[in-house]
Amino acid sequence: MHRIAVLPCDGIGPEVVAEGFKVLRVAADRYGVEYETVDYDLGGDRYLKTGEILPDSVLDEFRGMDAIYLGSVGHPDVQAGVLEKGLLLRLRFELDQYINLRPIKLYPGVETPLKDKGPEDIDFVVVRENTEDMYAGVGGFLRKGTPHEVAVQEAVYTRMGTERCIRYAFEIAKTRDRKKLTMVDKSNVLTFGHDLWVRTFAEVGEEYPDVEQDHAYVDACCMWMVKNPEWFDVVVTTNMFGDIITDLGAMIQGGMGVAASGNINPEGVSMFEPIHGSAPKYTGKNVICPVAAIAAAGMMMEHLGEVECGKAIEAAVIKALGSGKLGDLSTRSGVSTTEAGDLVASLVE
Ligand code: IPM
Ligand code: MN
């Protein structure tokens, strides 16, 4: 019995989470997977009502769960950063979910803005470090609000955090057909932090002679992702660069409507979410494509060891996308959130 904490949170989060469970329920029944869910009312509305973001007692409950399934975080009436740092990033940090795993896969039937590129060209996975870098929240102000104001925002890299991320990426690369790992950094400018990444990559890489090792500066990586996405198999990168290149990745795989992710602690509790945000202006309109959230539920099942169930969810997603019945996956596709969920659920085999 898997115990899953559910955090629908803000904006369109609850709508896509509902479709995720619509599909998960069917797949779980079919493959004899048992799970129970515990719903948590966290997010912007709760914060505005009670001032609470993530009570310590709730965080402790999460430590006892098998997985967390999250919709989206971000509320138009709450200052940017409050919920992001207080809820989403706090969960990632406190639960030490040190990997943010983001597959960039163009499924057949999905349109990519890249001319002359198809599913055989766009199939890689980004391993984003998820607990350090500029996200560590180290910094401060001096003389705030004065003309002599100084703001410092540090990027923090530890040998331990760098090494465990790079090793995880090598382990994934080892299991893939192409066995190629590209490290993306800016070591030509960030000559301290990213020097640590370069040295760690070389050292850990010695343990993986069967994995082809490549390197790209992050700016060039953005160019190659558009020009030659077929070069990438597994990409490992820092937290901030991983954030940025995976939005680009989402676009080349067909948009935010399909991009799923897992915040992984291989030894602890992991959290699965679509990478799109809360899209407040579409709240309650039943127009957001739920495929990313559904695919995240599939990733969660695989992570929990329910590989058949997870693969069945992915297969249903692939069939739904290939059917052409989901339109262009945008808010103007003419296909509602609930209809899209119904379709995917009906295709689970
Ligand atoms: C993401 C998001 C978050 C991030 C925000 C909401 C804090 O953009 O999951 O990519 O920057 O990691
Ligand atoms: Mn992001």
Side-chain angles (χ1 to χ4, degrees):
M1 173 71 85
H2 305 291
R3 295 191 72 223
I4 301 171
V6 185
L7 284 73
C9 300
D10 301 321
I12 49 87
E15 291 168 61
V16 296
V17 160
E19 301 312 308
F21 275 112
K22 189 186 276 177
V23 177
L24 180 53
R25 221 165 300 141
V26 176
D29 276 352
R30 201 132 313 166
Y31 291 90
V33 173
E34 288 186 56
Y35 66 86
E36 65 180 28
T37 57
V38 184
D39 283 334
Y40 288 89
D41 168 31
L42 297 173
D45 289 333
R46 162 95 175 257
Y47 171 68
L48 291 171
K49 247 182 274 153
T50 70
E52 284 175 310
I53 301 179
L54 177 56
D56 291 342
S57 60
V58 173
L59 186 59
D60 281 337
E61 287 177 39
F62 290 162
R63 295 184 205 279
M65 294 286 175
D66 295 310
I68 302 171
Y69 185 54
L70 180 132
S72 65
V73 172
H75 194 293
D77 301 335
V78 180
Q79 195 198 346
V82 172
L83 298 168
E84 289 84 347
K85 277 179 110 167
L87 184 52
L88 183 62
L89 299 181
R90 182 148 179 250
L91 283 169
R92 289 175 180 171
F93 292 175
E94 295 264 8
L95 299 175
D96 204 19
Q97 295 163 340
Y98 60 85
I99 300 295
N100 198 325
L101 194 61
R102 301 192 156 182
I104 312 289
K105 201 166 173 176
L106 177 66
Y107 290 122
V110 178
E111 218 176 297
T112 175
L114 302 188
K115 191 155 84 61
D116 303 330
K117 298 294 176 189
E120 61 290 350
D121 302 307
I122 301 171
D123 182 5
F124 59 99
V125 40
V126 176
V127 176
R128 165 186 173 190
E129 200 288 321
N130 212 27
T131 57
E132 304 191 341
D133 200 1
M134 282 179 252
Y135 281 77
V138 174
F141 293 106
L142 183 65
R143 308 191 202 100
K144 188 175 179 186
T146 74
H148 297 272
E149 171 161 28
V150 177
V152 176
Q153 188 93 48
E154 296 281 12
V156 176
Y157 309 96
T158 70
R159 169 71 199 213
M160 178 277 295
T162 305
E163 183 171 335
R164 66 184 178 176
C165 176
I166 288 174
R167 180 162 278 114
Y168 187 92
F170 269 110
E171 286 294 325
I172 293 191
K174 199 171 86 174
T175 65
R176 292 179 53 104
D177 290 342
R178 289 174 57 204
K179 302 192 187 345
K180 177 176 174 185
L181 178 60
T182 305
M183 185 170 82
V184 170
D185 61 41
K186 191 70 184 175
S187 50
N188 52 344
V189 175
L190 307 181
T191 51
F192 311 122
H194 290 199
D195 180 71
L196 175 65
W197 271 73
V198 168
R199 281 183 287 117
T200 307
F201 186 69
E203 272 171 47
V204 176
E206 281 176 27
E207 297 167 33
Y208 297 88
D210 298 338
V211 176
E212 185 192 341
Q213 295 165 33
D214 199 2
H215 172 266
Y217 295 127
V218 65
D219 46 352
C221 170
C222 292
M223 172 181 68
W224 300 129
M225 278 175 69
V226 172
K227 200 169 176 296
N228 296 98
E230 67 278 6
W231 286 359
F232 297 108
D233 181 26
V234 180
V235 169
V236 65
T237 192
T238 56
N239 203 346
M240 180 59 84
F241 292 165
D243 176 47
I244 296 166
I245 68 170
T246 54
D247 265 31
L248 177 57
M251 285 301 117
I252 69 172
Q253 73 179 129
M256 286 296 187
V258 290
S261 73
N263 301 274
I264 313 282
N265 176 344
E267 298 89 35
V269 185
S270 298
M271 176 167 76
F272 297 83
E273 52 169 332
I275 88 165
H276 62 64
S278 58
K281 69 176 178 188
Y282 297 112
T283 306
K285 296 212 155 64
N286 199 19
V287 294
I288 289 286
C289 175
V291 166
I294 296 170
M299 288 178 75
M300 176 166 70
M301 283 297 113
E302 286 209 39
H303 180 80
L304 290 172
E306 305 293 357
V307 177
E308 281 191 315
C309 177
K311 291 239 185 285
I313 293 174
E314 190 190 11
V317 162
I318 292 173
K319 252 180 278 166
L321 292 170
S323 73
K325 290 182 191 155
L326 292 180
D328 68 359
L329 312 175
S330 78
T331 52
R332 293 166 315 280
S333 68
V335 185
S336 70
T337 309
T338 43
E339 283 167 346
D342 288 342
L343 177 68
V344 181
S346 75
L347 294 170
V348 174
E349 275 179 8

